[in-house]
């Protein structure tokens, strides 16, 4: 089993409860200098204590099982706004927020996330008409999404 899969399995086994979930595990570097980033999220968000606690538990398990050869860096963090949304659960958590979505065909959409269904999400897409911006409800299939990010709002 690949190390990223092993780390994800270990991380999931230590989650406090069902409100927490692993978004992604990213491993970079070579043996002896590898960095492993585990992205933790929760339906109600996560804080630094959640990340630190999970990091300690994973590190102890990795050491006990001798899963990683040589020195390594293990980091547990929340995904942050720069990390694209990766699961329906993340989309659901961000209902009401503004998204920037790139579709598989290269089309870019921007608008407020209204709802998340089994196969698609609904957004109020912003469309420029003459000198003003209007919104129209649009359904986007999850399979057609290449990348989606939450936009920062300073309102």
């Amino acid at each position: 089993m690949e190390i990223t899969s092993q780390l994800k399995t270990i991380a999931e086994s230590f989650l406090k409860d069902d409100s927490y979930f692993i978004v992604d595990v990213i491993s970079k570097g070579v043996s002896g200098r590898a960095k492993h980033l585990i992205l933790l999220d929760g339906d109600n968000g996560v804080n630094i204590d959640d990340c630190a606690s999970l990091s300690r538990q994973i590190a102890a398990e990795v050491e006990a099982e001798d899963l990683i050869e040589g020195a390594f860096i293990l980091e547990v963090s929340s995904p942050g706004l720069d990390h694209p949304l990766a699961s329906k659960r993340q989309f659901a958590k961000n209902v009401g927020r503004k998204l920037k979505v790139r579709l598989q065909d290269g089309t870019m959409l921007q608008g407020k996330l209204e709802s998340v269904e089994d196969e698609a999400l609904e957004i109020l897409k912003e469309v420029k008409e003459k000198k003003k911006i209007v919104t129209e409800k649009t359904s986007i299939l999850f399979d057609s999404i290449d990348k989606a990010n939450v936009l920062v709002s300073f309102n």
Side-chain angles (χ1 to χ4, degrees), residues 60-72:
E61 182 74 11
V62 167
E63 294 285 332
E65 298 292 324
D66 200 23
L67 293 177
I68 300 174
E69 196 175 301
F72 64 92

Side-chain angles (χ1 to χ4, degrees), residues 79-91:
L81 292 175
D82 58 333
H83 195 80
L85 301 178
S87 69
K88 290 179 191 173
R89 200 164 171 181
Q90 281 185 293
F91 280 99

